[in-house]
Structures are given as structure tokens and as C-alpha cells.
Amino acid sequence: MRYPSFAGHDITLETERLVLRPFEREDWAVALPYYQDPEFKGGMEENADAVVDINYLERVGEHLAKRGILFAVVEKATARTIGEICLEWMNLTRASVRPGEKVMRSPLGIWDKTLWGRGYGKEMLRCVMRYAFEELGVDRLCAMCVNSNNARSRALFEACGYRLVRELDDTRELDLEVTRDAYAALGDTRPA
């Protein structure tokens, strides 16, 4: 049974191994067991202690879909939905968005831990970076509220050109960002 899509867009992006397609409501049922895993949940942005059920995931998904471009990530080799990534228009004042500046944040997750360390995170992040900078004309992309204990997440963003811009002492969260100029300087390491 197919549920109505709530992604609010028809954008599909592809990489060598992945398809980023509009997120559908039924994708949360696939994601739920992973979001209930303590190790996965520990890496979540700012809500690591939230009670995660299908209603919580749908509320978060609806918020992201209204504020940006929410993708489900499908592994081409298996046709299995393995995660999500979003380009969300910035909503945190500490990002210092100036009038006329286009700033988005880029939360992501690979649900299945057996797929961690295979380069999928970098592949999907670079794909949306290319889309954001080259198609949407974004000035900055941010990774907000990265758990300071999540070395894997920080390393992923830094490998894609993001740099630490602030550490929040009260929450132990990190904010990273990459500018359009820094993206352009990546040269051959930018996604094709």
C-alpha cells in the first residue's frame, strides 16, 4: 500500500550507488526500528532523549518537508531505503543569517548501522551539497546541533568541507558550516 507523499517536491537526485527521492510517509515505518536503537538515537540532533514512535517521526518529517527538501535515500544495489537527508531552510538564529542570504541546514541519517563506514554518508551529503550550491544558489550549508560525542558525524561533515563555527558549552553540541566559496575551493573533490 502506498501512502500519499508528504515531501512536497518531485526532485530525485542520483549518485553512483544511491537514489535520493521524495520522502514518503511509509518510509518512517522502515526507519522506526533504527531510531529506537540506542546507538543510532545517541547521534541524533538535539532530541536524543525523545521518545521515538511513528507519530514522533511523522511530526518531525512533516516539519522538515514544510521547511525544506526531504529525501529518502535508496541503495541502488538492493532497492532498499536506507536513510534520509534534508535540505532545510535555516531556522536557528545563531546561524546569523543576513538579509538576502540563503542558508540551509543538512541533517541526515543512515539508519542501518551495518552500512556505516561504507561512504554512503559522504556520497549523499556531497550530492545535496552540489544541488544546494549549484541549483538552489545557497550561500551556506550548516550542520547544526551535532553531538560532540559523535565523532563519526563530525568527521563526515569535515570530510565534505564543513568547518566548526561554534561549540555550545551548555549542550555539548557543535555547529559546522561550509560556504559557497569553500565549496568552490573543493575543486575536483566536489561531487559530479
Side-chain angles (χ1 to χ4, degrees):
M1 175 178 189
R2 304 288 291 180
Y3 296 90
S5 173
F6 64 89
H9 68 85
D10 61 358
I11 301 161
T12 299
L13 307 174
E14 288 194 43
T15 69
E16 181 181 336
R17 301 178 296 166
L18 304 171
V19 174
L20 283 63
R21 62 158 172 79
F23 204 96
E24 298 177 8
R25 190 172 303 279
E26 66 187 7
D27 292 321
W28 291 126
V30 176
L32 182 60
Y34 300 109
Y35 270 95
Q36 293 176 332
D37 176 275
E39 186 178 3
F40 181 88
K41 198 173 163 189
M44 288 173 59
E45 289 184 348
E46 61 194 44
N47 294 322
D49 52 353
V51 175
V52 177
D53 60 16
I54 200 72
N55 293 325
Y56 172 87
L57 291 177
E58 287 182 358
R59 280 193 314 276
V60 170
E62 287 168 358
H63 170 80
L64 292 173
K66 288 177 187 172
R67 297 202 39 81
I69 306 168
L70 179 59
F71 296 100
V73 179
V74 177
E75 183 183 42
K76 287 181 179 179
T78 62
R80 184 170 67 118
T81 305
I82 62 165
E84 88 269 2
I85 190 166
C86 186
L87 287 170
E88 178 189 10
W89 292 106
M90 182 51 65
N91 62 353
L92 296 177
T93 56
R94 71 176 184 261
S96 301
V97 179
R98 294 174 288 284
E101 186 182 33
K102 293 171 128 180
V103 182
M104 298 184 96
R105 57 194 291 183
S106 49
L108 63 98
I110 298 172
W111 303 329
D112 186 344
K113 291 186 299 190
T114 67
L115 299 177
W116 293 0
R118 295 188 183 183
Y120 284 151
K122 188 182 291 186
E123 197 169 322
M124 58 200 246
L125 184 57
R126 285 184 171 171
C127 181
V128 298
M129 287 172 67
R130 182 186 54 75
Y131 184 76
F133 287 120
E134 297 178 16
E135 301 296 325
L136 299 177
V138 168
D139 298 303
R140 279 189 292 145
L141 277 176
C142 301
M144 307 297 280
C145 310
V146 174
N147 186 318
S148 62
N149 294 324
N150 190 342
R152 181 184 299 272
S153 184
R154 181 177 180 175
L156 165 64
F157 285 108
E158 289 178 339
C160 290
Y162 286 66
R163 296 294 168 246
L164 181 67
V165 292
R166 79 188 57 77
E167 186 168 354
L168 306 172
D169 292 331
D170 56 330
T171 61
R172 299 185 42 84
E173 294 173 337
L174 310 174
D175 292 344
L176 300 98
E177 68 180 37
V178 60
T179 63
R180 181 197 311 259
D181 290 342
Y183 170 78
L186 293 172
D188 291 341
T189 62
R190 289 188 320 206

